[in-house]
Amino acid sequence: DADVTQTPRNRITKTGKRIMLECSQTKGHDRMYWYRQDPGLGLRLIYYSFDVKDINKGEISDGYSVSRQAQAKFSLSLESAIPNQTALYFCATISLTGELFFGEGSRLTVL
Amino acid sequence: GESVGLHLPTLSVQEGDNSIINCAYSNSASDYFIWYKQESGKGPQFIIDIRSNMDKRQGQRVTVLLNKTVKHLSLQIAATQPGDSAVYFCAENNAGANSKLTFGKGITLSVRP
């Protein structure tokens, strides 16, 4: 089983719809991250959390929100999806030594 | 501002040759650096890391070199194999309060048979 699991893996939705991407981890790490990947732009940090109920904005948080209700789960929401949020989204956890573990990604298409 | 960048967007090498992928970083406070490999359809996978108190670290077929003077990081892959074909990212981390990794844009390594 994967250490970091993301659902759904693929999602197609329409402009204005609310979307939630779920992430769960079995590493027991406190710190979790959501990244967005676009061609030519690499990985950009959306939000991160150092502990349950702790939420911090990354470099591109506008249009997104997150929830960290449990150590193992970190969800990313798009309250009203727009086409330029079409991207590949990655959840990750980080160990105490700084090693980052990524999920397999969630591909979101907003029409 | 802070940035991590890769010098070349693509690199093509012959199978069996050594590959060298370079990366520049701009945050002199960064103290931890990681190389990731991302295969098509998958999430990035850890390859090797190095802390700022070292200038070289070796793994299996891979070596990471860190030059703090010019803020340069490189990944060397020995005897490159077709399975090494992927996108490679360098990342830097300042282990201060924020502990955020900043990623470069990625470089595609293509291995010719």
Side-chain angles (χ1 to χ4, degrees):
Chain A
D1 288 343
D3 295 323
V4 181
T5 303
Q6 293 181 228
T7 56
R9 294 292 312 279
N10 287 284
R11 181 72 183 268
I12 299 174
T13 191
K14 295 181 179 179
T15 298
K17 294 292 186 181
R18 183 178 187 274
I19 295 296
M20 179 179 287
L21 305 180
E22 305 273 8
C23 176
S24 62
Q25 53 114 349
T26 58
K27 301 293 290 185
H29 295 158
D30 290 325
R31 301 183 177 190
M32 297 187 72
Y33 300 77
W34 273 104
Y35 285 90
R36 169 177 172 160
Q37 187 176 40
D38 297 276
L41 295 178
L43 286 157
R44 293 182 291 167
L45 183 62
I46 307 173
Y47 272 97
Y48 59 105
S49 169
F50 285 172
D51 204 345
V52 176
K53 300 293 178 70
D54 176 69
I55 301 295
N56 303 282
K57 291 184 176 180
E59 59 182 306
I60 54 164
S61 59
D62 288 347
Y64 301 95
S65 62
V66 290
S67 175
R68 185 85 185 278
Q69 297 296 322
Q71 187 202 43
K73 297 185 183 298
F74 191 35
S75 61
L76 175 72
S77 293
L78 289 68
E79 295 301 325
S80 180
I82 55 177
N84 75 2
Q85 290 177 311
T86 293
L88 187 57
Y89 292 85
F90 286 101
C91 175
T93 70
I94 195 167
S95 69
L96 291 177
T97 56
E99 185 178 348
L100 206 61
F101 297 86
F102 284 90
E104 292 294 294
S106 296
R107 184 169 295 282
L108 177 65
T109 302
V110 184
L111 302 177
Chain B
E2 298 174 4
S3 66
V4 179
L6 298 174
H7 294 309
L8 298 173
T10 60
L11 177 65
S12 179
V13 298
Q14 188 72 39
E15 181 179 356
D17 287 352
N18 296 334
S19 302
I20 300 176
I21 304 172
N22 296 306
C23 177
Y25 66 94
S26 61
N27 185 0
S28 57
S30 293
D31 55 7
Y32 180 57
F33 304 87
I34 312 175
W35 279 102
Y36 284 90
K37 172 185 180 182
Q38 186 176 20
E39 297 174 308
S40 180
K42 296 184 178 180
Q45 291 183 300
F46 173 90
I47 301 173
I48 191 168
D49 59 358
I50 188 168
R51 299 201 175 272
S52 58
N53 61 351
M54 304 172 66
D55 53 20
K56 180 179 180 179
R57 189 158 189 235
Q58 288 184 296
Q60 186 177 11
R61 284 201 306 117
V62 295
T63 301
V64 55
L65 299 176
L66 176 63
N67 185 331
K68 294 181 288 294
T69 302
V70 295
K71 295 197 281 289
H72 184 268
L73 189 70
S74 70
L75 176 71
Q76 300 178 0
I77 304 173
T80 312
Q81 303 170 358
D84 294 327
S85 294
V87 177
Y88 290 81
F89 296 93
C90 63
E92 61 176 317
N93 188 25
N94 182 342
N98 288 335
S99 188
K100 292 183 294 182
L101 276 174
T102 302
F103 286 86
K105 290 181 171 52
I107 182 170
T108 300
L109 176 65
S110 177
V111 182
R112 303 188 302 273

